[in-house]
Structure formats: structure tokens, C-alpha cells
């Protein structure tokens, strides 16, 4: 077997492990993720999983990064095809609400991780905070582009606006599990449009 073939197989195995670990963590949280449980689920030995992730913490960090990649691929990247300004901001929020549909069965890993690590200093909290900070920055950037296009008022506080959108998304996540996705998504979109009107130049 060539080195490139072996490397490709190793990367594929790692992605398979990460996919299963992500699904498990969405249901049980990152703290519920263990090398032993994961090895059993993917039909590997503990040492086989350790070969790809040197420790439980390394595995948890990799799962957080995997979750971040999935979120960006589902929410941000498709929205970048929309015109800068309100069309792009609306596309981001619509995709974010749709993300809730896809995470409603197992739950959102980032929400679970925030509850697990908000008061626990260490590498996992630091990594989670880095992902959240980058996402807030992307959201604020989309808002500033809407200001630059003249669709939102010049005095719009992008960081505050991003905070309020984030609050709407959290409410949709919360209500989707209790009251159903469709009703929660509709209320979230209605609240977002009301927020847009409050800062609109039109």
C-alpha cells in the first residue's frame, strides 16, 4: 500500500470516527463522549481510536471543530452567494433557523457545550469561545455590510444587533424541542423581520 493510499484511508477513518462522535455528543454532550464508547460504536479497538486522537480531550476538541465546520458549511457558505447587505443577512438567518431543523433530534452541540463548559476554564472552553467569537464576528460583518449598502441605519450597532439575532436563534432552538419546529421557525423569522424594520432606512 502506498503512503498516499494509507494516508487517505487514515483520513477517511478519522472522518468516520468524527461523524459518529459528533452524533453521540449531540445527544449526550461532550462530557458523555469517551474513547471506549466511541470505539465500540465504530467497531474499533480503543488503541485504534487513540491512534487518531491522542486523548479524550483531543477527541472532544476535534468534535468541536467538526461541529464548527458543519455549521459553517450549512449556514454561512450558502449565504455568501446572496448579495451583500440584507439579502445576505436574511440568508444567514434563514439557514441558521433551518440548522435548528437538522439538529432538533439530537440537539445543538454548541448549545450543549456552552452549558457544560461556561464555568469550566480549560482548552475546551477556550476552543468553544473561539468558535463562538468567530461566528459573532461573521454575523456582525454581515450586519455592517447591510449598513454600508444603506439598508440599515448608519448608527446601527453591529455587535448589539448580532447579539439580538443570536438571542432569536436561541429562542428558536429552545422552542423547537418543546413546541415543534415549524411554529418556532415562523416566530423566529417574524421576530427577525421586526428587528430589521427597527433598524431599517426604509
Amino acid at each position: 500500500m502506498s503512503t498516499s493510499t494509507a494516508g487517505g484511508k487514515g483520513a477517511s477513518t478519522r472522518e468516520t470516527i468524527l461523524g459518529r462522535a459528533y452524533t453521540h455528543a449531540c445527544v449526550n454532550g461532550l462530557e458523555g463522549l469517551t474513547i471506549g464508547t466511541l470505539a465500540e460504536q465504530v467497531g474499533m479497538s480503543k488503541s485504534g481510536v487513540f491512534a487518531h486522537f491522542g486523548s479524550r480531550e483531543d477527541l472532544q476538541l476535534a468534535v468541536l471543530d467538526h461541529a464548527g465546520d458543519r455549521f459553517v458549511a450549512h449556514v454561512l457558505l450558502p449565504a455568501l452567494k446572496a448579495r451583500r447587505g440584507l439579502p445576505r443577512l436574511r440568508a444567514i438567518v434563514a439557514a441558521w433557523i433551518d440548522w435548528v431543523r437538522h439538529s432538533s433530534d439530537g440537539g445543538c452541540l454548541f448549545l450543549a457545550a456552552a452549558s457544560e463548559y461556561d464555568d469550566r476554564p480549560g482548552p475546551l472552553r477556550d476552543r468553544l469561545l473561539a468558535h463562538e467569537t468567530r461566528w459573532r464576528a461573521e454575523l456582525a460583518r454581515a450586519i455592517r455590510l447591510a449598513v454600508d449598502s444603506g439598508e440599515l441605519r448608519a448608527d446601527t450597532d453591529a455587535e448589539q444587533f448580532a447579539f439580538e439575532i443570536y438571542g432569536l436563534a436561541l429562542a428558536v432552538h429552545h422552542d423547537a424541542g418543546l413546541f415543534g419546529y415549524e411554529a418556532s421557525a415562523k416566530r423566529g423569522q417574524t421576530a427577525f423581520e421586526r428587528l430589521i424594520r427597527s433598524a431599517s432606512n426604509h
Side-chain angles (χ1 to χ4, degrees):
M1 182 183 293
S2 68
T3 302
S4 59
T5 300
K9 183 178 179 181
S12 177
T13 301
R14 178 184 170 85
E15 285 303 306
T16 298
I17 295 171
L18 275 177
R20 186 64 63 87
Y22 169 78
T23 300
H24 183 87
C26 283
V27 175
N28 301 288
L30 285 171
E31 283 301 297
L33 191 60
T34 66
I35 295 289
T37 299
L38 186 58
E40 186 176 314
Q41 289 185 356
V42 298
M44 295 177 64
S45 64
K46 288 185 181 180
S47 60
V49 175
F50 266 116
H52 294 277
F53 308 95
S55 68
R56 176 171 177 257
E57 184 173 86
D58 288 340
L59 170 64
Q60 291 169 319
L61 290 169
V63 171
L64 263 182
D65 291 342
H66 180 77
D69 290 343
R70 289 175 69 122
F71 183 82
V72 167
H74 188 96
V75 177
L76 181 62
L77 295 184
L80 294 179
K81 299 174 184 177
R83 177 180 65 78
R84 291 183 176 186
L86 281 185
R88 182 172 296 178
L89 184 58
R90 282 193 169 101
I92 288 173
V93 171
W96 196 352
I97 290 176
D98 186 65
W99 170 261
V100 177
R101 182 202 305 272
H102 294 277
S103 62
S104 59
D105 290 338
C108 177
L109 179 62
F110 285 106
L111 292 184
S115 296
E116 289 179 302
Y117 301 109
D118 60 346
D119 59 351
R120 296 175 59 181
L124 284 162
R125 185 183 187 281
D126 292 345
R127 186 69 58 86
L128 174 64
L129 186 59
H131 279 290
E132 293 284 357
T133 300
R134 280 196 295 270
W135 175 238
R136 301 279 182 110
E138 288 291 346
L139 198 54
R141 180 173 183 271
I143 293 163
R144 280 191 286 269
L145 289 174
V147 172
D148 293 343
S149 69
E151 295 166 289
L152 294 180
R153 294 197 311 268
D155 63 351
T156 299
D157 183 333
E159 282 70 25
Q160 176 64 30
F161 204 97
F163 176 86
E164 293 177 24
I165 292 175
Y166 205 100
L168 295 179
L170 290 179
V172 173
H173 272 285
H174 177 273
D175 277 22
L178 291 173
F179 302 106
Y181 170 78
E182 296 299 336
S184 303
K186 184 177 180 180
R187 288 193 180 279
Q189 285 286 6
T190 298
F192 172 65
E193 289 302 326
R194 184 177 296 167
L195 189 60
I196 290 292
R197 288 195 298 273
S198 72
S200 178
N201 270 324
H202 307 297

